[in-house]
Amino acid sequence: MDKTILILDKGTTCTAWNYSGQRLAAGSTDGTIAIYDSTDPASSIFNCTARFKVQESSILKVVWVPPEYGDAVACISADGTLSLWEEVAQDADVLLWKLCICFERNTSQVLDIQFGDSHTCLKLVAAYSDGQVKIYEVLDPLELEKWQLQAEFQNVIDLVSKFGNASCSAASISWNPQRGELQQSSFVLGFTSSVPLLNSSKVWEFDQDHQRWLPVAELALPEDKSDQVFAVAWAPNIGRPYELIAVATQKGIAIWHVGSNPDSNGRLLTEKVAVLSGHDGEVWQMEWDMSGMTLASTGSDGVVKLWQSNLNGVWHEQAILAPSS
Amino acid sequence: MPGVTSNSGDSSLSIVPHFSDSQKPRIYPLRYHGLIPPLARVSISWARGSTLRVSLIQSDAISEKQPGGEVVEVKLTNMEGGEITEAQWRRIAYGSVTPFALLQSQKNLMDSSHYSKDWWEHVMEYSKEINSLLGNSKSSGNLVIEDPKAVLKKEEEPTSLKAAWELMEIFYADKQSETCIPERLLDWLADYDCLFSRTQPTVHAKLVDFQRELVTLQVVENDPKYWEAMSSALAVGWLDIVVKLLHLHGSYQFDQLGNRETENGLVEAVAVLISKMPRMRPDLPAEKLGECYQTKPEFMKAWEKWRAQITKLDCSAFWLQCDHHQTREGLKNMLQIMLGNTSILSNVTYHWIELFISHFLYIRPFTVGLENMCNLAQKCMHLKPISNHHKLMGLIIGILEENTEVVLAECSRSFGPWMITHALELLTAGSTQAEILLHEEQSKLGGINIEELHRLVYAQVLSSHALTWNIAPIYLTSCMKQGMGLLENLLYRQPVQNHQVLLKSIEICRLNELDIVSSNMMKISGVRNWKHGQKGSAVFWLQQAQDEVRLNRIAKQLFDFVGKSVSDESFKQWEGLIELLGTESKTAGGLKFLNIYRDFRRSLLQVHGGTTSDAAQKAVESLVSLMKNPSTPQRFWLPLLYDSLKLLNWQEHPLLNVSQTHLLLNKLQELSMARLRPDFTNVDLPPEALNSVRLALANNLGRAILEE
């Protein structure tokens, strides 16, 4: 049932698989990124094919750029910088990883990033430690060097409030994975911060008519709004009439149904259908499978848990994968 | 009823939703090798299908020699393992595609009014095809010359999967044999009783034991095991084995016949009665014994007659003349079995299902209704409780109880996603209640029905493996609601850098009209090629994808080439790209310009190589059409003219006529005006370029006028 497919370098801090699961990027404490490849889709033998230095400081997170834009990764370093690297052929067809851009920053650090909207114009959402959310857009579909800032806002439901001195330690972003021309771009975002109003997960949608981002739903009950958010995950939708989003806070993993049509205030109908007592302590990560039926989560208790709804719509813990030597 | 849940102890991890999951989550170990706990971080990523990859990252404080972590791949609900190997599973998976697809298309062709009438015939055909994939049928490999002492044939071990499939077929699909379900169950038990032997005593195990001893026995009839084995085999209806064993009786030997005439007569009489047993079934395989009757009245008549003969023999005076004690007792015992003596039947059978079958044979030969069967099964289970449930038991009980939910749960838990997906066809054909349940939309599951759910789960299992992902679309396209959504997600995750995979994916998209998905894959391939320096294939794939945005962007990059020195080596590569870009592209307006420019450039190269007037004339024509073409960017006018200086100053005769020269002069004039505007982009040319062009054109005009 389980087998080891890859041994990671010493000092590895984070890993990320590309869209097809054929390439793995692993960041490490010394600021290098190692790329592991499997040439044949049928084999699960992975070899390290490239290694490049990003920064002097440790790498906190690696994210692959959608494949429509080539083989490229974005990395967040411990010093809070965000840089983008891509694999391109230099002379004589030698493939090299080169720096495309190092996003400028002020004193705040980048906490989380996610790419979205790959079918039209690639966008990058970045959440910063001062509570700001920035959305960058790529200018040229064949060049990842040039980005422009499309929007900048704070994760608050009423757009008037501004918090100048927020201090955030973590953030989690998840794009609506749905592709297609008709789909509005949207994502969900939650913070762990000193300002309660910034914390709760909000769904942001791009308003095409007014060319701006609007909060269309808040995924927290009134009494939970200040809860710090560990992780969010937007499920793929292969035909459900509603969207499914998982939000992890210290109270557990909540499963939300989000309607697709806004009410008169422009808000989407939301319903919290389950709270699952998740991991003892912090939830590190949540991932939906490709059908959007099974949710996998990891947390500080060191195990992987699988969650599923039964035919009566009751969510429950389906299995626990416990690492053991 | 006891034993509804199966604890078959299978280790595969199930992620299929059921009606109720009251059990606590099962804990599975994730084995890692070189790491030392505690781990600093565990991160997860879903690969294709139901494969989960877990990165286990080591804490940094551990000694130098330790690796930094490892990635473990977990296949959830995988098919391998257990009694069937991975390769066999793949064979089954591939083999079942055609029958499944055929059945679906037949279903689509049929209008609902004919649905119930002959539908089961199609389902039976389907069932037989699938069954043949699950292993050899029993009737094969039947040797004519046999070892007289070989009671049981040695065959390859049957699988529980095949046994389960046949059960489903007996109860749901085979409408023709509805009246003889007990007989079919009897055959079924004959084939699969050995499966139960592993965990507890059975008639089969008893016979296997006796067979081993038989070789060493001199006088079989003196051994009580001989009689026990025969009674047991008789109780479960393995008549051929019983008769064969009876014929091993010592009284048949030539030197014995004289002394043991009566004894031999009794043995033979019992053997004849056994082989004449009336059976209510259309036919029997050649080696099986009994007399078949098709209709109930005929069968009942024969049955009464047969029973009367047994009673008569039982009361016969010949028994008193039989001196051999064991033979007398043994044969009498067998007569009691045939007369339906409950306590003896209970003594000679081991597993409840054996007792169950013996009841059909000798006590209640006319029982057919499921309700009666269920009551009987409960009674038998009560008499023969079992500690270790075989996974088939749960299924049998579910079927007899007519509890569709239990049948579904057992099929999927014990036999996996392949079984449930394919067996649902049998279930829906055989039971209206099941059909309603399976086709009812489940609002809690986003509106899909259970049938679709199981197909989706099976398709995910297929997509987990590189060798089976390409048959997943067959199952997904049979799902009305969410199949296409999952198919799209599956295709988006295909590694397009692999050429075979890319072509196969495009083909799947074409068959299912998923143009957006295929153009996205071509786009990914195009961009990848572009970045990797394979510009030709990049343009090819981007064109296939009709990605105007990126093609325009490439065309723009080619523009930058215009005005560079003619002898530039990269012209060839550039030329090829224009060729590829073609002229078809609608929005890439610059492409027409690039095409003419390429012709111009070619002719110009020839002119520079030698001095052929022909090439020069062609170059001039291209130049004129370039200057006439509205899509030629203004910034290229001067470089084009400057490149053509040699043509404008052609020694032999003026290449441009008067009107052509006027056109070029006008363009030059326009350019001078444009220079005054602020948005004018200056071209990187020598400062005297404009003047030298003007001079050359004036010169040409003069000569042209003279010539005309």
Side-chain angles (χ1 to χ4, degrees):
Chain A
M1 190 184 80
D2 54 340
K3 83 174 174 200
T4 300
I5 52 171
L6 195 66
I7 300 292
L8 297 164
D9 286 352
K10 191 169 165 50
T12 300
T13 51
C14 56
T15 57
W17 288 96
N18 78 341
Y19 75 103
S20 63
Q22 302 289 118
R23 310 194 89 182
L24 178 84
S28 76
T29 45
D30 63 358
T32 56
I33 284 185
I35 304 287
Y36 298 85
D37 273 304
S38 156
T39 43
D40 178 7
S43 94
S44 50
I45 299 163
F46 291 85
N47 296 312
C48 183
T49 53
R51 202 169 260 132
F52 55 95
K53 186 107 179 164
V54 170
Q55 284 280 328
E56 284 309 318
S57 59
S58 172
I59 291 171
L60 298 182
K61 179 162 184 152
V62 184
V63 178
W64 285 88
V65 170
E68 293 88 339
Y69 296 84
D71 283 289
V73 291
C75 18
I76 304 175
S77 300
D79 63 1
T81 52
L82 168 61
S83 54
L84 203 62
W85 295 73
E86 81 169 328
E87 187 187 49
V88 283
Q90 300 298 91
D91 308 323
D93 293 340
V94 179
L95 291 176
L96 277 177
W97 284 83
K98 75 167 181 68
L99 177 67
C100 293
I101 181 173
C102 192
F103 287 84
E104 57 178 302
R105 65 185 190 101
N106 39 30
T107 50
S108 60
Q109 302 195 327
V110 179
L111 299 175
D112 193 20
I113 49 159
Q114 286 300 332
F115 291 96
D117 245 6
S118 50
H119 53 280
T120 49
C121 175
L122 183 65
K123 290 187 182 67
L124 163 66
V125 184
Y128 289 81
S129 58
D130 58 359
Q132 288 298 107
V133 181
K134 290 184 187 173
I135 297 176
Y136 296 94
E137 245 180 3
V138 75
L139 288 172
D140 180 335
L142 284 175
E143 263 180 48
L144 293 171
E145 284 88 352
K146 292 172 199 142
W147 293 78
Q148 74 173 8
L149 185 65
Q150 188 214 17
E152 184 172 1
F153 49 81
Q154 283 187 318
N155 191 34
V156 283
I157 199 91
D158 73 278
L159 294 167
V160 195
S161 318
K162 286 279 173 286
F163 300 96
N165 52 355
S167 148
C168 309
S169 59
S172 179
I173 306 165
S174 179
W175 280 84
N176 177 354
Q178 201 60 21
R179 295 143 199 270
E181 311 293 324
L182 299 170
Q183 194 73 31
Q184 296 281 37
S185 16
S186 49
F187 63 87
V188 59
L189 165 68
F191 271 106
T192 298
S193 84
S194 59
V195 180
L197 281 175
L198 292 181
N199 285 338
S200 68
S201 309
K202 284 120 193 151
V203 177
W204 291 87
E205 192 173 275
F206 190 64
D207 175 6
Q208 205 72 44
D209 300 336
H210 302 94
Q211 291 290 305
R212 59 178 181 167
W213 288 88
L214 292 175
V216 289
E218 182 171 16
L219 303 181
L221 298 178
E223 64 270 26
D224 302 331
K225 286 195 178 183
S226 55
D227 289 352
Q228 300 182 330
V229 173
F230 297 137
V232 290
W234 195 313
N237 186 351
I238 55 172
R240 270 181 270 105
Y242 50 85
E243 295 294 331
L244 208 53
I245 299 175
V247 177
T249 64
Q250 77 265 25
K251 287 178 183 153
I253 296 173
I255 307 287
W256 288 83
H257 282 188
V258 180
S260 39
N261 294 319
D263 63 10
S264 53
N265 298 324
R267 295 283 150 81
L268 301 176
L269 208 63
T270 59
E271 187 195 355
K272 187 175 181 173
V273 293
V275 186
L276 306 159
S277 56
H279 299 264
D280 306 330
E282 197 186 336
V283 173
W284 285 335
Q285 195 192 356
M286 294 190 293
E287 294 281 323
W288 290 95
D289 75 333
M290 69 178 198
S291 67
M293 285 197 259
T294 310
L295 176 72
S297 66
T298 60
S300 51
D301 55 2
V303 299
V304 180
K305 293 188 172 187
L306 300 176
W307 310 89
Q308 207 171 51
S309 156
N310 69 11
L311 298 183
N312 298 319
V314 179
W315 284 84
H316 61 101
E317 194 172 340
Q318 181 83 19
I320 299 172
L321 305 173
S324 64
S325 45
Chain B
M1 180 177 279
V4 182
T5 56
S6 83
N7 33 358
S8 47
D10 60 326
S11 65
S12 80
L13 174 51
S14 161
I15 52 156
V16 189
H18 295 286
F19 278 96
S20 61
D21 291 275
S22 51
Q23 300 138 298
K24 287 207 159 168
R26 285 175 66 173
I27 301 178
Y28 301 88
L30 261 187
R31 287 178 296 270
Y32 55 81
H33 304 99
L35 309 183
I36 297 169
L39 299 171
R41 194 88 180 172
V42 178
S43 81
I44 42 179
S45 173
W46 288 94
R48 273 165 294 158
S50 51
T51 308
L52 187 67
R53 286 181 180 157
V54 185
S55 298
L56 304 164
I57 292 164
Q58 181 80 66
S59 292
D60 210 28
I62 310 298
S63 76
E64 280 298 311
K65 283 176 190 165
Q66 295 299 323
E70 60 185 68
V71 183
V72 180
E73 188 175 79
V74 189
K75 288 222 159 101
L76 309 167
T77 59
N78 62 338
M79 303 210 292
E80 63 202 273
E83 50 183 9
I84 295 172
T85 65
E86 201 180 344
Q88 276 173 312
W89 262 124
R90 273 205 295 279
R91 196 179 56 82
I92 293 172
Y94 268 91
S96 38
V97 169
T98 316
F100 179 83
L102 182 68
L103 192 72
Q104 299 310 314
S105 68
Q106 282 165 339
K107 206 183 276 180
N108 293 338
L109 283 176
M110 193 139 28
D111 67 285
S112 50
S113 57
H114 293 105
Y115 190 74
S116 50
K117 236 177 142 193
D118 308 318
W119 177 240
W120 70 269
E121 285 178 20
H122 295 294
V123 176
M124 263 316 274
E125 234 167 86
Y126 160 79
S127 178
K128 289 211 171 101
E129 285 225 19
I130 299 276
N131 194 7
S132 68
L133 295 168
L134 303 179
N136 288 331
S137 71
K138 284 263 129 184
S139 50
S140 68
N142 203 358
L143 288 172
V144 185
I145 309 159
E146 281 177 278
D147 178 358
K149 292 203 166 182
V151 182
L152 288 169
K153 272 176 276 174
K154 274 199 175 168
E155 308 248 356
E156 62 172 293
E157 180 95 313
T159 61
S160 311
L161 184 70
K162 190 173 166 71
W165 185 268
E166 288 188 11
L167 266 187
M168 298 291 283
E169 181 184 290
I170 292 170
F171 283 96
Y172 297 110
D174 195 351
K175 299 281 177 202
Q176 199 173 27
S177 332
E178 247 177 353
T179 47
C180 54
I181 285 183
E183 282 282 344
R184 290 215 51 192
L185 270 181
L186 187 152
D187 293 347
W188 181 85
L189 186 69
D191 288 344
Y192 302 109
D193 199 34
C194 53
L195 291 173
F196 307 121
S197 308
R198 271 179 231 145
T199 49
Q200 64 187 98
T202 58
V203 173
H204 178 267
K206 186 96 186 160
L207 285 173
V208 170
D209 276 351
F210 178 66
Q211 159 111 53
R212 221 172 283 135
E213 279 177 38
L214 189 58
V215 196
T216 57
L217 286 179
Q218 289 300 319
V219 188
V220 282
E221 63 269 28
N222 289 345
D223 191 333
K225 280 192 179 162
Y226 171 64
W227 298 102
E228 283 168 23
M230 280 196 297
S231 303
S232 294
L234 181 62
V236 291
W238 301 346
L239 308 182
D240 51 330
I241 292 175
V242 182
V243 171
K244 194 168 182 183
L245 282 172
L246 276 176
H247 287 157
L248 297 178
H249 195 273
S251 63
Y252 280 98
Q253 285 169 18
F254 293 114
D255 56 337
Q256 306 271 319
L257 270 177
N259 318 332
R260 304 170 70 178
E261 209 167 275
T262 319
E263 194 185 337
N264 183 249
L266 284 168
V267 173
E268 184 57 24
V270 172
V272 168
L273 276 175
I274 288 173
S275 52
K276 295 275 182 206
M277 181 175 174
R279 316 281 299 260
M280 197 162 119
R281 57 190 293 161
D283 49 29
L284 269 170
E287 75 277 10
K288 301 281 178 198
L289 301 174
E291 298 204 329
C292 300
Y293 295 92
Q294 301 247 23
T295 64
K296 205 167 168 183
E298 281 178 70
F299 171 71
M300 280 172 82
K301 225 172 109 188
W303 174 260
E304 294 302 331
K305 200 177 145 197
W306 182 68
R307 283 292 270 261
Q309 285 173 326
I310 297 171
T311 319
K312 203 176 146 199
L313 180 63
D314 195 32
C315 305
S316 153
F318 288 110
W319 295 108
L320 298 172
Q321 295 168 33
C322 177
D323 300 331
H324 195 262
H325 172 74
Q326 280 100 332
T327 303
R328 195 174 62 233
E329 291 308 307
L331 290 177
K332 280 271 206 176
N333 202 45
M334 286 163 79
L335 290 182
Q336 282 306 306
I337 288 172
M338 290 191 279
L339 288 170
N341 183 321
T342 325
S343 65
I344 295 182
L345 283 178
S346 181
N347 284 340
V348 297
T349 52
Y350 303 93
H351 195 282
W352 72 262
I353 199 156
E354 293 167 351
L355 183 61
F356 182 62
I357 295 292
S358 72
H359 271 254
F360 286 134
L361 276 170
Y362 305 108
I363 300 176
R364 296 203 241 169
F366 312 114
T367 307
V368 278
L370 273 176
E371 201 184 324
N372 288 335
M373 281 189 166
C374 187
N375 291 336
L376 182 59
Q378 278 174 322
K379 203 177 125 193
C380 294
M381 265 183 278
H382 187 70
L383 286 169
K384 299 221 173 272
I386 35 178
S387 52
N388 196 345
H389 277 285
H390 190 274
K391 56 185 177 180
L392 281 166
M393 288 303 122
L395 182 61
I396 295 175
I397 294 163
I399 292 173
L400 293 177
E401 279 185 327
E402 296 184 84
N403 189 336
T404 311
E405 289 181 18
V406 171
V407 174
L408 286 176
E410 288 300 326
C411 269
S412 109
R413 282 206 190 110
S414 309
F415 301 99
W418 175 87
M419 174 68 179
I420 183 81
T421 304
H422 293 88
L424 280 184
E425 298 298 336
L426 308 184
L427 201 56
T428 48
S431 150
T432 329
Q433 182 217 347
E435 206 205 323
I436 293 167
L437 179 75
L438 289 168
H439 290 158
E440 185 188 1
E441 282 188 9
Q442 305 283 324
S443 60
K444 302 284 166 107
L445 271 180
I448 57 171
N449 60 39
I450 297 175
E451 182 182 72
E452 179 163 341
L453 171 73
H454 286 294
R455 286 181 190 167
L456 292 176
V457 171
Y458 177 56
Q460 260 189 290
V461 174
L462 289 175
S463 10
S464 311
H465 202 287
L467 296 175
T468 49
W469 77 270
N470 53 346
I471 54 178
I474 306 282
Y475 294 89
L476 289 173
T477 49
S478 74
C479 297
M480 296 302 290
K481 291 231 159 156
Q482 302 192 349
M484 291 311 261
L486 189 56
L487 179 57
E488 282 184 31
N489 283 355
L490 169 63
L491 288 166
Y492 276 126
R493 284 166 172 266
Q494 292 308 315
V496 299
Q497 74 267 29
N498 183 295
H499 198 61
Q500 299 297 328
V501 173
L502 177 61
L503 294 183
K504 180 73 199 169
S505 304
I506 291 171
E507 173 69 6
I508 292 171
C509 289
R510 194 183 60 77
L511 290 173
N512 296 294
E513 293 167 12
L514 292 170
D515 297 344
I516 296 174
V517 181
S518 70
S519 79
N520 193 67
M521 279 190 287
M522 295 168 188
K523 191 186 291 184
I524 294 174
S525 181
V527 172
R528 188 186 145 84
N529 283 318
W530 182 259
K531 299 275 182 183
H532 285 191
Q534 292 138 354
K535 305 225 149 113
S537 10
V539 171
F540 171 77
W541 284 115
L542 289 174
Q543 267 188 330
Q544 294 291 309
Q546 297 180 318
D547 185 347
E548 305 292 356
V549 179
R550 287 184 177 79
L551 283 173
N552 267 333
R553 162 65 180 68
I554 289 173
K556 223 173 258 161
Q557 191 164 328
L558 293 180
F559 278 10
D560 298 344
F561 195 83
V562 176
K564 282 191 187 163
S565 170
V566 185
S567 58
D568 198 327
E569 268 302 304
S570 55
F571 178 67
K572 278 232 167 64
Q573 186 200 0
W574 186 92
E575 199 181 6
L577 276 187
I578 294 178
E579 199 80 53
L580 268 170
L581 282 165
T583 49
E584 283 163 35
S585 191
K586 269 169 264 147
T587 53
L591 282 178
K592 182 148 172 59
F593 156 72
L594 282 174
N595 267 291
I596 311 172
Y597 181 69
R598 179 206 49 204
D599 296 342
F600 167 67
R601 216 48 201 265
R602 271 192 199 145
S603 319
L604 211 58
L605 270 175
Q606 284 175 331
V607 171
H608 281 260
T611 45
T612 53
S613 287
D614 248 11
Q617 197 60 50
K618 260 189 204 153
V620 162
E621 274 159 30
S622 301
L623 176 67
V624 170
S625 68
L626 271 176
M627 297 306 278
K628 271 186 185 163
N629 188 351
S631 65
T632 304
Q634 198 184 46
R635 62 192 158 107
F636 295 141
W637 291 355
L638 191 57
L640 284 172
L641 291 169
Y642 188 67
D643 275 353
S644 325
L645 266 182
K646 191 167 181 182
L647 303 172
L648 304 179
N649 293 321
W650 200 252
Q651 289 307 314
E652 295 163 31
H653 58 95
L655 294 173
L656 291 145
N657 63 28
V658 180
S659 65
Q660 285 169 331
T661 322
H662 273 303
L663 172 87
L664 298 189
L665 277 168
N666 283 341
K667 290 279 176 189
L668 213 58
Q669 183 65 24
E670 222 177 291
L671 202 60
S672 311
M673 304 287 283
R675 284 192 118 161
L676 302 174
R677 287 208 300 270
D679 58 341
F680 182 80
T681 41
N682 221 339
V683 203
D684 189 20
L685 281 176
E688 73 281 4
L690 185 67
N691 278 331
S692 45
V693 169
R694 190 172 283 141
L695 191 67
L697 279 175
N699 192 351
N700 192 88
L701 181 66
R703 288 163 65 199
I705 290 174
L706 283 176
E707 211 144 280
E708 282 174 26

